[in-house]
């Protein structure tokens, strides 16, 4: 989206923000006056002997909410991050980063880590907290990859083991056949990033729900899931092309690329450059399914934080209902958690579209479908903070 159109949209939406600012004090008071809502706040105290009353935290959170709306409506009258101001860094650095030797080394590191994950999952110690496959996949890779992407840009692209293996195989086959191979099918443009969004929900389900009775993911299950994802990814790359599959359907490539748009570093062609931080996300959601990726990420984060807090009692009620129906404890727990995971993601999507729908009521506003893609990127920075 260009700067002019974005400023136009923001100007039209400014009236809505002012209305929200006017209503936010009443909203904060209503929230604090409702005991059930106050007791179900999203944060939890790690200690019960903190010398500050809980109501101070609640009032503080409501005050920040009110002040943020007022600040947005009064102080932030023009867009700030649409102008990227991208500037290339010294050519020598770009040549080093894009050198074939560098790409081979980075890909080999990714492939090596993938192999260790599978091996340790099958043959390593069967204690999740010390097994490499579990700690690497669910902590180092999943969380560390986000912060690496925000700081250094889309580094996962170079380390992606599936991309490295597929490119090597394609290179060998092309050399033996004497011609460049082409994928048999074109990736459907309307499908966009929807496969990545579905894969993201499946990954979160395995992390948070698949373990029996809260025991978490086992090393063996991690290795099996890795092999299944290997098959899925290689089939997709074979049918639709390596780079197309990576940029659209590969869950981890899409996930980390989304956060890399917050980074001040960006590769354009074969040149590395620096830009204004956060500015890249303004154009990220143009591909179909991008909103689903953002909503799924935010919904999964909310579910994870509320599982042992605000949602603990409702989940327990549904769990007990399923056990009375004769389901095993593990099955009842998984079904109850799955229903609430889907419900939370659906609730986040509903809240987002209600907000966008409210923006559409402003005179001269663009169509609802356009508003969604133009404003969903504003939710991406908040997700980094919540990790």
């Amino acid at each position: 989206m260009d700067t002019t159109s974005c400023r136009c949209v923001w100007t039209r939406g400014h009236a809505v923000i002012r209305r929200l600012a006017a209503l936010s004090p009443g909203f904060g008071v209503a929230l604090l006056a409702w005991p059930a809502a106050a007791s179900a706040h999203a944060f939890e105290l790690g200690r019960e002997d903190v010398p500050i009353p809980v109501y101070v935290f609640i009032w503080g959170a409501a005050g920040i909410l009110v002040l943020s709306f007022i600040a947005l409506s009064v102080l932030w009258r023009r867009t700030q991050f649409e102008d990227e101001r991208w500037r290339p860094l010294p050519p020598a650095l770009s040549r080093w980063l894009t050198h074939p030797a560098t790409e081979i080394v980075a890909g080999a590191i990714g492939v090596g880590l993938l192999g260790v994950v599978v091996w340790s999952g099958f043959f390593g110690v069967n204690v999740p907290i010390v097994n490499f496959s579990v700690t690497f996949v669910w902590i180092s890779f999943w969380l560390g990859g986000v912060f690496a992407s925000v700081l250094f840009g889309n580094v996962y692209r170079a380390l992606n083991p599936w991309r490295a293996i597929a490119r090597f195989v394609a290179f060998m086959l092309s050399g033996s056949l004497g011609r460049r191979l082409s994928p048999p099918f074109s990736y459907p443009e309307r499908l966009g990033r929807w496969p990545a969004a579905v894969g993201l929900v499946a990954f979160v389900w395995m992390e948070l729900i698949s373990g029996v009775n809260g025991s978490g993911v086992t090393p063996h299950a991690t290795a099996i899931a890795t092999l299944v994802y290997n098959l899925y990814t290689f089939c997709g790359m074979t049918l639709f092309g390596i780079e197309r599959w990576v940029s659209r359907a590969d869950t981890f490539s899409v996930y980390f690329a989304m956060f890399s748009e917050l980074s001040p570093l960006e590769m354009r062609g074969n040149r590395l450059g620096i830009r204004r931080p956060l500015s890249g996300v303004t154009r990220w959601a143009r591909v179909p399914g991008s909103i689903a990726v953002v909503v799924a990420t935010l919904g999964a984060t909310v579910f994870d934080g509320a599982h042992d807090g605000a949602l603990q009692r409702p989940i327990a009620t549904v769990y007990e209902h399923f056990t009375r129906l004769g389901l095993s404890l593990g099955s009842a727990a998984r079904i109850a958690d799955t229903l609430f995971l889907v419900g939370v993601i659906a609730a986040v999507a509903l809240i987002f579209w209600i907000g966008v729908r409210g923006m559409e009521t402003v005179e001269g506003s663009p169509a609802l479908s356009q508003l969604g893609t133009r404003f969903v990127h504003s939710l991406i920075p908040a997700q980094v903070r919540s990790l």
Side-chain angles (χ1 to χ4, degrees), residues 12-305:
R12 293 164 180 165
H14 189 257
V16 173
I17 296 178
R18 292 182 64 87
R19 296 171 193 170
L20 292 174
L23 294 175
S24 58
F27 172 77
V29 172
L31 177 63
L32 297 176
W34 188 18
S39 64
H41 52 82
F43 56 84
E44 297 180 25
L45 297 180
R47 295 175 52 191
E48 297 182 358
D49 58 344
V50 177
I52 300 178
V54 174
Y55 72 86
V56 174
F57 285 94
I58 300 175
W59 276 104
I64 292 174
L65 176 68
V66 172
L67 290 176
S68 64
F69 274 114
I70 295 176
L72 282 173
S73 64
V74 175
L75 302 178
W76 199 339
R77 294 179 176 272
R78 294 189 304 170
T79 56
Q80 301 292 325
F81 298 108
E82 279 68 24
D83 185 9
E84 295 182 340
R85 300 179 183 177
W86 186 87
R87 303 184 305 278
L89 293 175
L93 181 58
S94 298
R95 286 195 297 268
W96 178 78
L97 290 174
T98 59
H99 194 277
T102 304
E103 294 186 0
I104 291 174
V105 171
I109 292 174
V111 173
L113 290 172
L114 177 65
V116 174
V117 166
V118 175
W119 184 90
S120 61
F122 284 124
F123 306 107
V125 59
N126 196 28
V127 180
I129 196 172
V130 297
N131 186 281
F132 176 83
S133 66
V134 175
T135 56
F136 176 78
V137 171
W138 307 103
I139 300 176
S140 302
F141 173 70
W142 186 239
L143 298 179
V146 172
F147 293 104
S149 300
V150 172
L151 293 175
F152 306 112
N154 195 7
V155 294
Y156 177 72
R157 177 181 172 82
L159 296 169
N160 186 338
W162 299 286
R163 177 174 178 265
I165 294 173
R167 293 180 70 193
F168 175 76
V169 172
F171 174 79
M172 297 299 294
L173 290 176
S174 298
S176 61
L177 296 176
R179 60 183 178 86
R180 185 176 180 180
L181 298 177
S182 299
F185 302 103
S186 297
Y187 188 83
E189 194 63 31
R190 294 180 61 184
L191 193 58
R193 293 179 174 134
W194 278 101
V198 174
L200 178 64
V201 175
F203 184 86
V204 171
W205 181 90
M206 183 173 181
E207 177 192 12
L208 303 178
I209 299 175
S210 66
V212 179
N213 296 329
S215 61
V217 185
T218 64
H220 186 268
T222 301
I224 292 294
T226 302
L227 293 180
V228 171
Y229 193 78
N230 287 351
L231 179 62
Y232 163 76
T233 303
F234 290 138
C235 287
M237 290 179 173
T238 302
L239 295 175
F240 301 107
I242 299 172
E243 301 302 333
R244 195 64 172 175
W245 185 263
V246 165
S247 64
R248 293 292 190 268
D250 179 16
T251 296
F252 306 112
S253 294
V254 171
Y255 181 74
F256 292 129
M258 175 180 69
F259 289 109
S260 72
E261 297 295 345
L262 302 173
S263 173
L265 299 174
E266 181 192 20
M267 291 290 299
R268 293 190 176 181
N270 291 326
R271 291 298 301 273
L272 177 67
I274 188 169
R275 63 188 175 187
R276 178 181 291 184
L278 307 180
S279 61
V281 295
T282 59
R283 51 184 169 81
W284 183 80
R286 296 174 180 175
V287 178
S290 300
I291 296 177
V293 174
V294 176
V295 169
T297 304
L298 183 58
T301 303
V302 172
F303 173 80
D304 187 20

